[in-house]
Amino acid sequence: MPVTAQPPQLTQGFRDLIASGQPVGLAVSGGGDSVALLHLVAGLGGQISVASVDHGLRPASAAECAMVADICAAYKIPHQVLRWSGWDRTGNLQDHARKARYGLLADWARSTGIADIALGHTADDQAETVIMALARGAGVDGLAGMGGVTVKNGLRFHRPLLQVTRADLRRYLTDAGHEWCDDPSNDDPTYERIRVRQAAGLLAGLGLTPQALGQVAQHMGAAAQALDRQSTDLAPFLLRQQGDMLINIALADLSGEQARRLVLAGMAWVNRTLTPPRRDEQARLMQALHKGGAATLGGCRFSFDGPVLRIAREFAAVRDHVTSTTHLWDGRWRVTGPHDPKLQLRALGAGIDRCRDWRNTGLPRASMQATPAVWRDDQLISAPLAGFGQGWIAQIVAE
């Protein structure tokens, strides 16, 4: 296939990753950005695999995935279509689709031995993210936009085109004679991101170009990293007690930003699937905690043991979580013992009343109820963390 003389440049770090020969996955939808990514990466060689997520929301989506498959076949790159059928047509479609996309990609990557996945986000996407963060009154983290490399679901997601504009990618595709598909939802002003995108010309006239907004993200990213390094000094005050996280320092002795970051770190350990709460939700939480009150947020429960803040899993968040005893429970618990297909892992819940020694563990009742237990229908077989092991052990897997 023909290529342009000077194609857009992928980040050097990502080029080095490809050159290392490690298996790398590409998420390619058929849109111009991800198709350009595919062609650019294919020209570098390496051990590449491609996945296309078909959300099944538009009749044309199957044909778009087929187009990607044809491109991959021409390059002799393995390709797989990942189909989503989990939307019940209620709630925020884009949010549901995004979470499903990352989940499907993570499952695919693990099944193929891939730890690194590249996404086709561009400088325009970064600019849109920063503008939406400004509209929400976001702080340093929000204004940092999307990172060049982020860790999610235990995988590294790379964005090697964050310095390249959408227009440059389409110019490259056109010059090289490559085809791509335009998703009509990218013109739907129902979505906030599309409204921001449609206002790009006006914003650029005010100096808010993708390049300028990208610089804002870089500066805020550097500030966020500095704050993170400062926060690591507080790590000794984070104590893990079975499934709970204890903050053993008075929040009043910290700056507001230090306290917020420490609390968020505790939440992320307790809830491995945590989506960072909105800034206003964080503000309300911190206000309640500074007053010494109990609270819940993000599937976590907050309470005080004297001056110590306890962050525990909220029972309501795991009450309906059911899985086989051979699978991870709540994304962090590995339970081992005499497995049987008829057994299930569920939250201990009211089963705590069948565990006479649970008080000896030192965990509060509410925390204990949110721990994993082995059940056969309504019969409690084991509650490993509640002093009712019966040959079973529950451990938190490494992050």
Side-chain angles (χ1 to χ4, degrees):
M1 294 184 179
V3 296
T4 54
Q6 293 182 326
Q9 291 297 303
L10 302 163
T11 58
Q12 186 60 50
F14 185 72
R15 293 169 66 89
D16 292 341
L17 174 65
I18 297 297
S20 73
Q22 297 182 54
V24 176
L26 307 183
V28 182
S29 66
D33 302 339
S34 61
V35 167
L37 174 66
L38 170 55
H39 286 294
L40 291 168
V41 174
L44 299 177
Q47 189 177 344
I48 306 301
S49 298
V50 173
S52 300
V53 177
D54 183 357
H55 294 95
L57 300 174
R58 295 180 294 106
S61 61
E64 293 164 4
C65 291
M67 181 197 71
V68 176
D70 289 342
I71 298 173
C72 290
Y75 283 121
K76 295 182 173 56
I77 293 175
H79 174 263
Q80 187 170 345
V81 177
L82 312 176
R83 291 183 172 83
W84 178 50
S85 58
W87 187 45
D88 60 4
R89 300 196 175 273
T90 62
N92 186 317
L93 170 58
Q94 284 200 328
D95 184 57
H96 282 294
R98 178 183 59 79
K99 291 178 179 177
R101 185 161 53 250
Y102 277 103
L104 288 168
L105 288 171
D107 291 341
W108 165 73
R110 293 192 189 98
S111 70
T112 52
I114 290 172
D116 298 271
I117 299 177
L119 307 172
H121 293 132
T122 68
D124 299 81
D125 294 308
Q126 182 74 297
E128 292 157 9
T129 299
V130 171
I131 291 170
M132 291 189 293
L134 283 167
R136 292 193 299 270
V140 171
D141 292 320
L143 294 176
M146 297 180 288
V149 182
T150 56
V151 178
K152 189 180 184 68
N153 295 327
L155 303 169
R156 291 179 294 273
F157 286 88
H158 300 256
R159 297 180 177 88
L161 293 172
L162 274 187
Q163 306 302 316
V164 182
T165 66
R166 195 173 292 130
D168 285 340
L169 291 179
R170 276 151 181 73
R171 188 177 303 113
Y172 156 70
L173 291 171
T174 300
D175 291 346
H178 297 316
E179 296 182 350
W180 73 91
C181 300
D182 285 319
D183 183 346
S185 66
N186 288 335
D187 296 320
D188 186 353
T190 302
Y191 302 115
E192 178 190 16
R193 183 175 290 274
I194 304 308
R195 294 195 297 274
V196 171
R197 185 172 302 173
Q198 291 173 343
L202 175 62
L203 295 172
L206 298 173
L208 297 176
T209 63
Q211 292 81 1
L213 291 165
Q215 288 183 339
V216 170
Q218 289 179 356
H219 295 325
M220 291 299 100
Q225 289 177 359
L227 288 168
D228 285 338
R229 286 193 294 270
Q230 185 186 66
S231 296
T232 60
D233 295 337
L234 299 172
F237 296 101
L238 284 174
L239 308 177
R240 301 175 181 183
Q241 184 182 35
Q242 294 187 5
D244 291 359
M245 179 69 80
L246 308 182
I247 296 181
N248 193 29
I249 185 173
L251 299 183
D253 292 340
L254 305 172
S255 70
E257 187 62 21
Q258 287 177 320
R260 186 186 70 86
R261 287 177 177 271
L262 206 57
V263 167
L264 286 176
M267 292 177 68
W269 187 79
V270 169
N271 179 5
R272 293 283 176 86
T273 62
L274 178 72
T275 298
R278 299 192 310 269
R279 192 75 180 194
D280 60 329
E281 294 176 323
Q282 295 180 29
R284 287 194 293 271
L285 172 65
M286 297 309 299
Q287 185 178 31
L289 296 182
H290 278 295
K291 292 180 178 179
T296 58
L297 180 65
C300 299
R301 181 179 182 276
F302 303 84
S303 60
F304 285 91
D305 297 340
V308 177
L309 173 62
R310 178 180 295 272
I311 307 176
R313 197 65 163 115
E314 184 185 7
F315 173 64
V318 296
R319 178 171 45 205
D320 299 324
H321 194 107
V322 181
T323 188
S324 163
T325 56
T326 59
H327 288 72
L328 280 182
W329 188 81
D330 193 29
R332 62 176 183 149
W333 289 104
R334 176 73 68 191
V335 179
T336 56
H339 298 290
D340 186 292
K342 297 180 180 179
L343 300 178
Q344 293 180 329
L345 287 179
R346 302 202 309 266
L348 178 57
I352 191 172
D353 294 326
R354 308 179 205 179
C355 305
R356 62 184 182 183
D357 296 327
W358 74 264
R359 291 179 179 82
N360 297 334
T361 67
L363 276 186
R365 181 183 180 90
S367 297
M368 186 61 70
Q369 288 181 302
T371 61
V374 181
W375 297 82
R376 180 185 288 115
D377 297 327
D378 292 331
Q379 179 186 3
L380 179 64
I381 302 300
S382 170
L385 299 173
F388 185 59
Q390 303 298 97
W392 291 81
I393 297 173
Q395 295 177 309
I396 291 181
V397 298
E399 297 175 79

